[in-house]
Amino acid sequence: MSAVEGDWKEALSEEFKKPYYRRLYETVKEEYHKHIVYPPSGQILNALNFTPLHKVKVVIIGQDPYHEKGQANGLAFSVGPDVAIPPSLLNIYKELHDDLGLYIPDNGCLEKWARQGVLLLNNVLTVRAHKAYSHQNIGWEQFTDAVFHAVEAEKRPLVYMLWGSHAAKKASLVKNPSHLVLTAPHPSPLSAYRGFFGCRHFSKCNSFLEENKIAPIDWQIENRYNNKEEV
């Protein structure tokens, strides 16, 4: 498992000393030894290492990593630039188009968001190949709750975009009245039409940031292979 860098290391230092984390570490190590597990071990903590704690503006919670070869890269909902865009992310792009008029790009790499302060955090950070949510209840939930608490302790205004029932459970952890919590159904094809489409979370998020004199997020993921703006 890759190491946590920067200010996350200090914020989570006590967590790494707890018995559950040692068990989690050993379990994950064994899983990678015995099974095919995603994402690659060096990318497990990409969400933290791409988005330092002091730069977090927005938190988006996913369930667990994509479980097919080549998809998961440590950022919730994101895939590599040469990987087909998964259905849930495509629905996110469709909502961005309807909400902010952005074109739908030709790739699903969300590193641009992460580097602007969007913490793309899965509730569970690893998964066995072809077995969604196979690493639930091994300790990741406690760890990501600790990450959530570290963000919640930040005094500046922040936005939480919580999609689906698993993410919505984190809403109870938000106690700071200066933080904005936005909830909606999950963007998966099974639930997007139940209220994710039309939620307008992206414009609401940017309006809130601007009202608090914080630079908004540039949500447009650019095309990589052509300059045509697709809709």
Side-chain angles (χ1 to χ4, degrees):
M1 195 186 308
S2 59
V4 175
E5 304 295 340
D7 50 5
W8 285 113
K9 186 174 182 179
E10 180 179 354
L12 299 171
S13 60
E14 292 303 312
E15 214 64 24
F16 299 134
K17 301 174 185 177
K18 295 180 180 179
Y20 91 87
Y21 188 83
R22 173 51 56 181
R23 293 192 298 271
L24 170 62
Y25 181 89
E26 294 299 332
T27 298
V28 170
K29 182 178 178 180
E30 184 176 5
E31 283 286 298
Y32 274 88
H33 180 69
K34 292 184 176 181
H35 305 279
I36 298 174
V37 177
Y38 302 126
S41 60
Q43 298 179 2
I44 294 174
L45 299 174
N46 269 0
L48 305 184
N49 291 332
F50 277 46
T51 311
L53 176 58
H54 72 280
K55 290 188 176 181
V56 174
K57 298 179 181 180
V58 183
V59 180
I60 295 178
I61 301 292
Q63 179 174 291
D64 66 334
Y66 296 120
H67 52 80
E68 299 301 329
K69 183 178 180 180
Q71 290 185 308
N73 63 7
L75 302 176
F77 296 104
S78 178
V79 293
D82 297 313
V83 178
I85 301 172
S88 292
L89 180 53
L90 185 57
N91 284 340
I92 292 170
Y93 285 163
K94 289 177 180 177
E95 175 60 20
L96 273 165
H97 170 65
D98 292 344
D99 188 10
L100 294 174
L102 306 188
Y103 69 85
I104 295 176
D106 59 9
N107 71 94
C109 182
L110 304 182
E111 288 184 18
K112 176 181 176 179
W113 294 0
R115 296 193 185 281
Q116 291 181 82
V118 181
L119 181 64
L120 296 166
L121 182 70
N122 279 314
N123 193 41
V124 171
L125 300 186
T126 56
V127 66
R128 282 191 194 179
H130 320 304
K131 296 183 178 180
Y133 225 34
S134 50
H135 281 180
Q136 64 177 318
N137 300 324
I138 66 171
W140 280 128
E141 294 90 342
Q142 187 170 346
F143 179 74
T144 53
D145 276 357
V147 172
F148 207 90
H149 283 302
V151 175
E152 174 62 11
E154 295 292 293
K155 303 302 182 184
R156 65 188 184 282
L158 301 170
V159 181
Y160 298 91
M161 299 164 71
L162 307 178
W163 304 328
S165 58
H166 288 282
K169 291 178 182 177
K170 299 284 192 187
S172 64
L173 302 178
V174 180
K175 308 297 183 183
N176 191 326
S178 69
H179 295 173
L180 175 65
V181 179
L182 301 172
T183 61
H186 196 275
S188 78
L190 296 175
S191 56
Y193 287 94
R194 299 174 186 166
F196 177 78
F197 289 139
C199 69
R200 302 185 64 83
H201 279 188
F202 301 99
S203 59
K204 291 176 182 177
C205 169
N206 277 358
S207 293
F208 176 83
L209 294 176
E210 290 178 315
E211 288 167 4
N212 285 281
K213 297 179 172 55
I214 299 170
I217 304 299
D218 177 4
W219 295 104
Q220 180 68 72
I221 300 297
E222 288 79 14
N223 284 340
R224 290 177 59 86
Y225 302 110
N226 61 69
N227 293 319
K228 181 182 178 182
E229 295 189 0
E230 301 176 2
V231 295

XYZ file of all heavy atoms in Angstrom, residues 66-149:
668
model
N -13.793 0.557 -9.280
C -14.218 -0.290 -10.397
C -13.495 -1.629 -10.286
O -12.322 -1.688 -9.905
C -13.871 0.383 -11.725
C -14.580 1.686 -11.978
C -13.861 2.873 -12.162
C -15.967 1.754 -12.061
C -14.511 4.080 -12.424
C -16.621 2.950 -12.314
C -15.887 4.106 -12.493
O -16.529 5.295 -12.748
N -14.184 -2.701 -10.654
C -13.627 -4.039 -10.398
C -13.236 -4.800 -11.656
O -13.015 -6.008 -11.612
C -14.624 -4.867 -9.573
C -16.007 -4.906 -10.129
N -16.357 -5.738 -11.162
C -17.122 -4.204 -9.801
C -17.637 -5.562 -11.440
N -18.124 -4.627 -10.635
N -13.124 -4.102 -12.785
C -12.642 -4.742 -13.999
C -11.243 -4.237 -14.343
O -10.833 -3.145 -13.945
C -13.604 -4.486 -15.160
C -15.006 -5.036 -14.953
C -15.050 -6.544 -14.721
O -14.171 -7.252 -15.271
O -15.944 -7.011 -13.983
N -10.512 -5.023 -15.091
C -9.105 -4.748 -15.385
C -8.915 -3.368 -16.017
O -9.623 -2.990 -16.937
C -8.561 -5.822 -16.323
C -7.070 -5.669 -16.648
C -6.584 -6.797 -17.536
C -5.103 -6.655 -17.860
N -4.617 -7.753 -18.735
N -7.947 -2.637 -15.481
C -7.542 -1.376 -16.067
C -8.396 -0.176 -15.738
O -8.098 0.931 -16.203
N -9.457 -0.355 -14.957
C -10.362 0.763 -14.697
C -9.955 1.595 -13.483
O -9.757 2.801 -13.589
C -11.789 0.238 -14.498
C -12.450 -0.310 -15.748
C -13.894 -0.700 -15.494
O -14.189 -1.441 -14.550
N -14.788 -0.212 -16.326
N -9.866 0.988 -12.317
C -9.667 1.731 -11.069
C -8.295 2.404 -11.030
O -7.276 1.798 -11.392
C -9.823 0.792 -9.875
N -8.278 3.646 -10.562
C -7.007 4.369 -10.443
C -6.886 5.119 -9.122
O -6.043 5.999 -8.981
C -6.825 5.325 -11.621
C -7.889 6.410 -11.691
O -8.717 6.547 -10.793
N -7.869 7.199 -12.758
N -7.716 4.769 -8.151
C -7.618 5.388 -6.834
C -8.442 6.633 -6.651
O -8.484 7.191 -5.546
N -9.101 7.102 -7.702
C -9.991 8.259 -7.615
C -11.414 7.792 -7.898
O -11.669 7.160 -8.925
C -9.591 9.328 -8.638
C -8.165 9.882 -8.546
C -7.913 10.854 -9.699
C -7.925 10.558 -7.210
N -12.342 8.097 -7.020
C -13.728 7.667 -7.191
C -14.277 8.154 -8.524
O -14.089 9.316 -8.906
C -14.591 8.191 -6.048
N -14.935 7.257 -9.245
C -15.596 7.503 -10.531
C -14.627 7.686 -11.697
O -15.039 7.679 -12.852
C -16.556 8.704 -10.463
C -17.715 8.506 -9.537
C -17.748 9.126 -8.290
C -18.780 7.689 -9.896
C -18.817 8.931 -7.425
C -19.842 7.483 -9.035
C -19.869 8.111 -7.793
N -13.351 7.853 -11.453
C -12.378 8.131 -12.498
C -11.795 6.851 -13.090
O -11.698 5.821 -12.414
C -11.241 8.982 -11.917
O -10.240 9.239 -12.875
N -11.396 6.924 -14.347
C -10.637 5.860 -14.997
C -9.473 6.497 -15.749
O -9.392 7.724 -15.875
C -11.500 5.033 -15.980
C -12.568 4.247 -15.247
C -12.137 5.927 -17.045
N -8.580 5.655 -16.255
C -7.459 6.158 -17.031
C -7.928 6.790 -18.331
O -9.035 6.532 -18.813
N -7.093 7.622 -18.941
C -7.496 8.362 -20.142
C -7.783 7.487 -21.354
O -8.471 7.924 -22.277
C -6.303 9.291 -20.398
C -5.148 8.641 -19.697
C -5.731 7.983 -18.493
N -7.280 6.265 -21.368
C -7.495 5.376 -22.508
C -8.520 4.287 -22.221
O -8.639 3.325 -22.986
C -6.171 4.740 -22.927
C -5.159 5.775 -23.393
O -5.539 6.639 -24.195
O -4.006 5.726 -22.939
N -9.262 4.424 -21.131
C -10.257 3.432 -20.713
C -11.654 3.934 -21.064
O -11.943 5.132 -20.923
C -10.149 3.164 -19.193
C -11.208 2.172 -18.730
C -8.746 2.652 -18.849
N -12.515 3.046 -21.523
C -13.887 3.431 -21.854
C -14.565 4.076 -20.651
O -14.392 3.640 -19.508
C -14.672 2.213 -22.312
N -15.353 5.107 -20.891
C -16.033 5.821 -19.806
C -17.127 4.928 -19.224
O -18.038 4.504 -19.941
C -16.655 7.135 -20.330
C -15.564 8.034 -20.920
C -17.397 7.863 -19.214
C -16.115 9.258 -21.639
N -17.079 4.619 -17.914
C -18.107 3.771 -17.297
C -19.475 4.462 -17.290
O -19.563 5.702 -17.341
C -17.585 3.574 -15.864
C -16.118 3.868 -15.942
C -15.998 4.949 -16.977
N -20.545 3.684 -17.212
C -21.900 4.256 -17.291
C -22.191 5.326 -16.246
O -22.816 6.340 -16.561
C -22.809 3.032 -17.123
C -21.990 1.886 -17.621
C -20.578 2.205 -17.218
N -21.767 5.116 -14.993
C -22.048 6.110 -13.953
C -21.366 7.441 -14.258
O -21.944 8.513 -14.084
C -21.613 5.598 -12.577
O -22.420 4.528 -12.155
N -20.126 7.368 -14.706
C -19.403 8.598 -15.036
C -20.018 9.271 -16.258
O -20.107 10.503 -16.312
C -17.921 8.296 -15.274
C -17.044 9.507 -15.626
C -17.182 10.623 -14.610
C -15.587 9.071 -15.766
N -20.472 8.486 -17.211
C -21.136 9.076 -18.366
C -22.384 9.846 -17.935
O -22.661 10.938 -18.442
C -21.508 7.997 -19.376
C -22.116 8.486 -20.696
C -21.189 9.455 -21.417
C -22.469 7.309 -21.595
N -23.116 9.308 -16.955
C -24.289 10.014 -16.446
C -23.892 11.290 -15.702
O -24.615 12.294 -15.739
C -25.109 9.096 -15.542
C -25.915 8.085 -16.331
O -26.163 8.266 -17.525
N -26.334 7.006 -15.687
N -22.751 11.254 -15.020
C -22.239 12.467 -14.382
C -21.951 13.524 -15.444
O -22.299 14.704 -15.290
C -20.973 12.161 -13.558
C -21.335 11.298 -12.332
C -20.274 13.443 -13.119
C -20.129 10.758 -11.590
N -21.342 13.107 -16.536
C -21.064 14.034 -17.634
C -22.357 14.590 -18.246
O -22.423 15.770 -18.623
C -20.252 13.333 -18.720
C -18.798 13.108 -18.406
C -18.049 12.188 -19.138
C -18.140 13.821 -17.409
C -16.694 11.979 -18.879
C -16.795 13.622 -17.132
C -16.075 12.698 -17.884
O -14.739 12.495 -17.634
N -23.372 13.725 -18.360
C -24.649 14.194 -18.901
C -25.271 15.256 -18.000
O -25.821 16.259 -18.485
C -25.607 13.017 -19.072
C -25.230 12.064 -20.204
C -26.185 10.882 -20.272
C -25.805 9.935 -21.409
N -26.696 8.736 -21.440
N -25.180 15.055 -16.677
C -25.709 16.058 -15.751
C -24.897 17.348 -15.835
O -25.464 18.453 -15.782
C -25.707 15.509 -14.322
C -26.127 16.502 -13.246
C -27.540 17.063 -13.431
O -28.363 16.439 -14.146
O -27.821 18.129 -12.847
N -23.588 17.231 -15.994
C -22.757 18.419 -16.171
C -23.147 19.187 -17.434
O -23.169 20.425 -17.443
C -21.279 18.019 -16.241
C -20.544 17.914 -14.909
C -19.226 17.173 -15.087
C -20.304 19.300 -14.318
N -23.463 18.459 -18.486
C -23.893 19.112 -19.727
C -25.207 19.860 -19.516
O -25.354 21.017 -19.922
C -24.049 18.074 -20.834
C -24.718 18.608 -22.065
N -24.162 19.593 -22.850
C -25.918 18.321 -22.634
C -24.971 19.868 -23.843
N -26.053 19.122 -23.738
N -26.158 19.190 -18.857
C -27.464 19.816 -18.640
C -27.385 20.962 -17.637
O -28.100 21.953 -17.759
C -28.468 18.767 -18.154
C -28.806 17.730 -19.217
O -28.515 17.980 -20.405
O -29.340 16.662 -18.858
N -26.506 20.826 -16.651
C -26.404 21.812 -15.580
C -25.573 23.026 -15.976
O -25.984 24.183 -15.786
C -25.800 21.144 -14.339
C -25.814 22.027 -13.104
O -26.461 23.088 -13.131
O -25.175 21.646 -12.103
N -24.408 22.771 -16.566
C -23.466 23.851 -16.846
C -23.168 24.031 -18.336
O -22.380 24.902 -18.701
C -22.145 23.594 -16.102
C -22.221 23.645 -14.573
C -20.884 23.239 -13.964
C -22.633 25.022 -14.084
N -23.781 23.201 -19.182
C -23.559 23.336 -20.616
C -22.220 22.809 -21.089
O -21.773 23.145 -22.189
N -21.546 21.976 -20.283
C -20.243 21.450 -20.668
C -20.390 20.337 -21.704
O -21.378 19.600 -21.707
C -19.513 20.899 -19.438
C -19.357 21.842 -18.241
C -18.449 21.204 -17.199
C -18.816 23.197 -18.672
N -19.406 20.224 -22.574
C -19.448 19.129 -23.540
C -19.008 17.825 -22.878
O -18.280 17.834 -21.888
C -18.611 19.437 -24.784
C -17.104 19.493 -24.598
C -16.323 18.330 -24.641
C -16.457 20.716 -24.434
C -14.941 18.383 -24.500
C -15.080 20.784 -24.293
C -14.321 19.611 -24.326
O -12.957 19.672 -24.196
N -19.475 16.726 -23.413
C -19.130 15.408 -22.881
C -17.797 14.992 -23.489
O -17.687 14.847 -24.709
C -20.230 14.387 -23.195
C -21.520 14.786 -22.460
C -19.790 12.978 -22.781
C -22.713 13.908 -22.774
N -16.756 14.817 -22.679
C -15.418 14.552 -23.210
C -15.259 13.107 -23.678
O -16.116 12.259 -23.447
C -14.515 14.844 -22.008
C -15.366 14.518 -20.817
C -16.767 14.921 -21.208
N -14.102 12.855 -24.288
C -13.829 11.534 -24.837
C -13.074 10.622 -23.875
O -12.581 9.565 -24.268
C -13.044 11.661 -26.148
C -11.710 12.386 -25.968
O -11.307 12.643 -24.808
O -11.062 12.693 -26.994
N -12.969 11.030 -22.596
C -12.235 10.213 -21.622
C -12.794 10.425 -20.225
O -13.527 11.385 -19.979
C -10.740 10.556 -21.654
C -10.458 11.929 -21.057
O -10.145 12.066 -19.883
N -10.601 12.975 -21.892
N -12.435 9.512 -19.322
C -12.967 9.561 -17.964
C -11.931 9.826 -16.895
O -12.114 9.443 -15.737
N -10.835 10.488 -17.265
C -9.775 10.790 -16.307
C -10.117 12.063 -15.539
O -10.182 13.150 -16.125
C -8.437 10.946 -17.026
S -7.058 11.277 -15.911
N -10.319 11.939 -14.234
C -10.779 13.062 -13.407
C -9.661 13.696 -12.588
O -9.932 14.409 -11.617
C -11.904 12.587 -12.482
C -13.118 11.944 -13.157
C -14.165 11.569 -12.108
C -13.713 12.853 -14.235
N -8.425 13.468 -12.988
C -7.313 14.052 -12.235
C -7.423 15.573 -12.155
O -7.036 16.186 -11.164
C -5.976 13.667 -12.867
C -5.595 12.210 -12.660
C -4.214 11.905 -13.214
O -3.425 12.860 -13.434
O -3.920 10.717 -13.436
N -7.954 16.190 -13.202
C -8.108 17.650 -13.208
C -8.958 18.105 -12.026
O -8.650 19.118 -11.393
C -8.736 18.100 -14.524
C -9.018 19.601 -14.582
C -9.673 20.012 -15.889
C -10.038 21.491 -15.886
N -10.657 21.922 -17.158
N -10.037 17.379 -11.751
C -10.876 17.722 -10.604
C -10.086 17.586 -9.305
O -10.114 18.463 -8.451
C -12.116 16.829 -10.547
C -13.080 16.999 -11.661
C -12.995 17.862 -12.727
C -14.298 16.275 -11.839
N -14.084 17.712 -13.538
C -14.905 16.759 -13.036
C -14.942 15.269 -11.120
C -16.111 16.260 -13.505
C -16.150 14.773 -11.586
C -16.734 15.261 -12.768
N -9.401 16.444 -9.173
C -8.672 16.163 -7.933
C -7.632 17.243 -7.650
O -7.451 17.666 -6.500
C -8.011 14.793 -8.018
N -6.964 17.701 -8.680
C -5.891 18.686 -8.484
C -6.433 20.091 -8.207
O -5.685 20.971 -7.788
C -4.954 18.682 -9.689
C -4.233 17.337 -9.838
C -3.084 17.403 -10.810
N -2.485 16.094 -11.031
C -1.626 15.489 -10.208
N -1.266 16.100 -9.081
N -1.129 14.300 -10.486
N -7.733 20.283 -8.418
C -8.366 21.566 -8.075
C -8.955 21.574 -6.667
O -9.468 22.597 -6.223
C -9.494 21.884 -9.059
C -9.057 22.204 -10.460
C -10.258 22.531 -11.324
O -10.776 23.652 -11.321
N -10.747 21.541 -12.046
N -8.934 20.435 -5.992
C -9.482 20.385 -4.644
C -10.729 19.547 -4.498
O -11.430 19.663 -3.487
N -11.032 18.704 -5.489
C -12.172 17.792 -5.381
C -11.657 16.456 -4.866
O -10.944 15.740 -5.584
C -12.886 17.609 -6.733
C -14.084 16.671 -6.570
C -13.337 18.950 -7.282
N -11.985 16.124 -3.630
C -11.560 14.862 -3.032
C -12.476 13.751 -3.537
O -13.642 13.676 -3.156
C -11.609 14.949 -1.509
C -11.153 13.696 -0.743
C -9.675 13.413 -0.994
C -11.433 13.858 0.756
N -11.940 12.903 -4.405
C -12.714 11.821 -5.028
C -12.465 10.551 -4.235
O -11.646 9.701 -4.597
C -12.292 11.663 -6.488
C -12.595 12.878 -7.377
C -11.851 12.777 -8.705
C -14.099 13.016 -7.611
N -13.201 10.400 -3.147
C -12.933 9.366 -2.150
C -13.958 8.245 -2.206
O -15.158 8.484 -2.039
C -12.950 9.995 -0.755
C -12.644 9.073 0.419
C -11.175 8.655 0.413
C -13.003 9.759 1.740
N -13.503 7.018 -2.429
C -14.390 5.873 -2.281
C -14.541 5.509 -0.814
O -13.615 5.702 -0.011
C -13.849 4.665 -3.053
C -14.171 4.720 -4.529
O -15.306 5.002 -4.910
N -13.188 4.449 -5.363
N -15.703 4.979 -0.453
C -15.941 4.530 0.914
C -15.048 3.349 1.261
O -14.573 3.207 2.393
C -17.419 4.138 1.061
C -17.843 3.963 2.501
O -17.447 4.738 3.370
N -18.648 2.951 2.767
N -14.809 2.478 0.296
C -13.914 1.329 0.415
C -12.873 1.487 -0.690
O -13.221 1.774 -1.829
C -14.698 0.007 0.255
C -13.761 -1.181 0.154
C -15.668 -0.171 1.418
N -11.587 1.300 -0.371
C -10.537 1.715 -1.292
C -9.934 0.600 -2.140
O -9.087 0.881 -3.004
C -9.413 2.425 -0.512
C -9.821 3.691 0.251
C -8.599 4.370 0.837
C -10.591 4.650 -0.637
N -10.333 -0.644 -1.929
C -9.839 -1.746 -2.749
C -10.983 -2.706 -3.052
O -12.027 -2.680 -2.390
C -8.705 -2.522 -2.038
O -9.172 -2.973 -0.753
C -7.470 -1.659 -1.846
N -10.767 -3.575 -4.049
C -11.809 -4.526 -4.440
C -11.161 -5.692 -5.184
O -10.179 -5.508 -5.912
C -12.872 -3.835 -5.333
C -12.284 -3.408 -6.673
C -14.094 -4.715 -5.538
N -11.698 -6.901 -4.990
C -11.251 -8.036 -5.801
C -11.786 -7.908 -7.219
O -12.882 -7.379 -7.431
C -11.758 -9.359 -5.212
C -10.982 -9.863 -4.016
C -11.418 -11.284 -3.710
N -10.960 -11.713 -2.392
C -11.229 -12.916 -1.863
N -11.976 -13.773 -2.557
N -10.775 -13.234 -0.674
N -11.040 -8.400 -8.159
C -11.464 -8.375 -9.552
C -12.813 -9.059 -9.713
O -13.040 -10.145 -9.166
C -10.423 -9.076 -10.428
N -13.708 -8.398 -10.437
C -15.023 -8.923 -10.825
C -15.986 -9.105 -9.647
O -17.043 -9.711 -9.818
C -14.898 -10.267 -11.556
C -13.751 -10.324 -12.521
N -13.585 -9.418 -13.537
C -12.697 -11.190 -12.602
C -12.480 -9.714 -14.224
N -11.928 -10.776 -13.668
N -15.649 -8.577 -8.459
C -16.489 -8.782 -7.275
C -16.733 -7.450 -6.574
O -16.014 -7.084 -5.642
C -15.860 -9.792 -6.316
C -15.731 -11.192 -6.891
C -15.157 -12.163 -5.869
C -15.065 -13.573 -6.438
N -14.510 -14.536 -5.459
N -17.750 -6.732 -7.033
C -18.039 -5.422 -6.459
C -18.266 -5.508 -4.955
O -18.899 -6.437 -4.453
C -19.265 -4.819 -7.133
N -17.722 -4.536 -4.254
C -17.867 -4.383 -2.803
C -17.367 -5.597 -2.022
O -17.824 -5.871 -0.914
C -19.334 -4.080 -2.458
C -19.474 -2.943 -1.450
C -18.589 -1.872 -1.438
C -20.512 -2.948 -0.513
C -18.718 -0.847 -0.521
C -20.645 -1.923 0.414
C -19.737 -0.879 0.404
O -19.860 0.136 1.323
N -16.417 -6.322 -2.590
C -15.882 -7.517 -1.930
C -14.977 -7.186 -0.754
O -14.676 -8.078 0.055
C -15.129 -8.380 -2.950
O -14.204 -7.610 -3.696
N -14.527 -5.948 -0.629
C -13.671 -5.571 0.493
C -14.388 -4.701 1.518
O -13.743 -3.978 2.281
C -12.405 -4.872 -0.014
C -11.371 -5.823 -0.524
N -10.154 -5.426 -1.038
C -11.377 -7.183 -0.596
C -9.454 -6.485 -1.401
N -10.182 -7.565 -1.150
N -15.700 -4.787 1.544
C -16.427 -4.090 2.603
C -16.174 -4.806 3.930
O -15.877 -5.997 3.980
C -17.916 -4.054 2.301
C -18.601 -5.407 2.253
C -20.093 -5.304 2.014
O -20.752 -4.440 2.587
N -20.627 -6.163 1.167
N -16.265 -4.052 5.001
C -16.168 -4.585 6.365
C -14.816 -5.202 6.707
O -14.732 -6.083 7.566
C -17.284 -5.613 6.622
C -18.669 -5.028 6.465
O -18.899 -3.864 6.803
N -19.596 -5.816 5.935
N -13.748 -4.746 6.052
C -12.409 -5.184 6.466
C -11.657 -4.037 7.143
O -10.508 -4.210 7.547
C -11.586 -5.747 5.296
C -11.266 -4.651 4.265
C -12.297 -6.934 4.640
C -10.262 -5.105 3.188
N -12.316 -2.879 7.255
C -11.702 -1.750 7.949
C -11.643 -0.464 7.156
O -11.402 0.608 7.720
N -11.883 -0.560 5.843
C -11.809 0.662 5.037
C -12.836 1.700 5.461
O -12.559 2.915 5.444
C -12.003 0.338 3.566
C -10.805 -0.197 2.852
C -10.725 -1.338 2.096
C -9.492 0.380 2.807
N -9.456 -1.491 1.579
C -8.683 -0.442 1.998
C -8.934 1.529 3.368
C -7.343 -0.164 1.754
C -7.597 1.817 3.120
C -6.818 0.973 2.319
N -14.033 1.264 5.834
C -15.068 2.226 6.209
C -14.644 3.075 7.404
O -14.894 4.278 7.448
C -16.382 1.510 6.520
C -17.027 0.819 5.326
C -16.586 -0.627 5.146
O -15.553 -1.007 5.720
O -17.264 -1.377 4.426
N -13.964 2.447 8.369
C -13.486 3.192 9.527
C -12.401 4.184 9.116
O -12.358 5.328 9.601
C -12.945 2.233 10.596
C -12.592 2.912 11.909
C -12.294 1.928 13.022
O -12.595 0.733 12.911
N -11.696 2.403 14.091
N -11.549 3.760 8.206
C -10.479 4.647 7.744
C -11.040 5.832 6.973
O -10.641 6.988 7.196
C -9.485 3.870 6.882
C -8.374 4.724 6.344
C -7.357 5.159 7.178
C -8.349 5.107 5.012
C -6.326 5.969 6.699
C -7.329 5.910 4.512
C -6.313 6.336 5.360
N -11.965 5.584 6.054
C -12.508 6.698 5.270
C -13.396 7.601 6.123
O -13.529 8.791 5.826
C -13.254 6.205 4.017
O -14.250 5.240 4.377
C -12.279 5.578 3.030
N -13.998 7.067 7.185
C -14.676 7.934 8.152
C -13.674 8.888 8.799
O -13.972 10.068 9.025
C -15.374 7.112 9.233
C -16.753 6.628 8.826
O -17.206 6.969 7.713
O -17.379 5.889 9.617
N -12.477 8.374 9.101
C -11.435 9.217 9.693
C -11.003 10.308 8.717
O -10.768 11.454 9.116
C -10.236 8.365 10.100
N -10.915 9.962 7.437
C -10.608 10.961 6.412
C -11.708 12.021 6.395
O -11.440 13.229 6.354
C -10.478 10.299 5.027
C -10.357 11.352 3.937
C -9.275 9.360 4.996
N -12.937 11.560 6.457
C -14.085 12.465 6.454
C -14.034 13.389 7.665
O -14.284 14.606 7.549
C -15.364 11.638 6.466
C -16.549 12.317 5.843
C -16.829 12.177 4.492
C -17.408 13.088 6.605
C -17.929 12.792 3.912
C -18.512 13.699 6.050
C -18.775 13.554 4.689
N -13.704 12.849 8.827
C -13.608 13.672 10.040
C -12.501 14.719 9.907
O -12.645 15.858 10.379
C -13.351 12.790 11.257
C -14.557 12.072 11.758
N -15.706 12.719 12.164
C -14.801 10.741 11.925
C -16.614 11.838 12.554
N -16.093 10.632 12.411
